[in-house]
Amino acid sequence: MRRFLLLAWLFASCYATAQYGTNCEVRQFKLNAFNPGIEYEMALGVNSTLDIRVAYQAALEPASSQPLDDFDFFPAITVQNRYYHNLNSRQRRRRSIYGNSGNYIAPSAAIFSPGSRVVEGRLVEGVHGYGGLVYGIQRSFDSGFSFSIDAGAGYYVGPFKGSIQPVVNLSIGWIISEKRWCVGL
């Protein structure tokens, strides 16, 4: 009888751990205030999400001879496949993982559509974008307030000579809709 109870207790604890496991939010919508726009993040697996942001985003001007000194706001679509590598350790330390609060690494791509503009006395037309790799953190709170920041490098392409430049994304806003079911084990 003792063995049966011990076996039942072990099975129940394993089952409870598997159901409560460390997982990403299934989906969440966020309104961004810093880069005005909307963001959608959906779970792809246990610790992986697809993050899509449509916003009026601060960005460097890659058509400039000094792109790091020339910033502007452009309409943009940014896509990231985030892998949250520390959700397990955050949960073990009894830290919140609500809203995918964790550190991540992600391939990142963005397309900017600034329209026609004059840069250093010449007319620049068309879209530009980048593809690269970033490392970031995201924190969300029970009030719905959320922020994320990531940085890395990307290869910029467009109506100019392509080059590798820094990538920095900052999101400050609120979670307006969420689905908090677990994904995977």
Side-chain angles (χ1 to χ4, degrees):
M1 182 67 164
R2 282 189 215 166
R3 287 184 183 175
F4 176 76
L5 288 175
L6 180 62
L7 186 60
W9 180 78
L10 285 172
F11 180 78
S13 64
C14 289
Y15 180 75
T17 302
Q19 295 304 311
Y20 184 71
T22 317
N23 300 301
C24 298
E25 304 291 339
V26 172
R27 63 178 170 264
Q28 60 186 359
F29 282 98
K30 294 184 261 185
L31 284 178
N32 292 329
F34 181 75
N35 290 317
I38 191 161
E39 189 171 346
Y40 177 68
E41 189 173 14
M42 65 181 269
L44 297 178
V46 176
N47 293 330
S48 177
T49 65
L50 179 66
D51 184 77
I52 301 169
R53 182 181 320 130
V54 178
Y56 202 62
Q57 191 166 317
L60 57 86
E61 174 56 77
S64 170
S65 61
Q66 298 293 325
L68 298 177
D69 297 334
D70 197 0
F71 288 90
D72 209 344
F73 278 87
F74 301 126
I77 297 174
T78 305
V79 178
Q80 294 180 336
N81 181 359
R82 296 176 174 178
Y83 174 73
Y84 292 91
H85 64 84
N86 71 333
L87 294 181
N88 291 333
S89 64
R90 284 184 63 81
Q91 195 172 37
R92 274 194 309 272
R93 291 180 288 153
R94 300 196 185 278
R95 301 242 175 138
S96 173
I97 61 168
Y98 165 72
N100 301 332
S101 291
N103 300 6
Y104 60 87
I105 187 165
S108 181
I111 297 176
F112 300 92
S113 179
S116 299
R117 61 203 186 280
V118 176
V119 178
E120 298 176 352
R122 62 189 164 104
L123 182 66
V124 179
E125 296 183 85
V127 299
H128 67 277
Y130 70 79
L133 189 66
V134 295
Y135 182 84
I137 65 166
Q138 177 168 276
R139 298 295 184 264
S140 300
F141 303 94
D142 289 333
S143 65
F145 179 75
S146 177
F147 74 89
S148 67
I149 185 167
D150 54 60
Y155 186 77
Y156 285 79
V157 295
F160 48 83
K161 183 180 177 199
S163 63
I164 295 175
Q165 299 289 340
V167 172
V168 177
N169 292 304
L170 175 64
S171 267
I172 299 173
W174 290 266
I175 298 171
I176 58 173
S177 174
E178 65 196 36
K179 180 130 179 138
R180 299 191 67 191
W181 290 352
C182 294
V183 174
L185 297 175

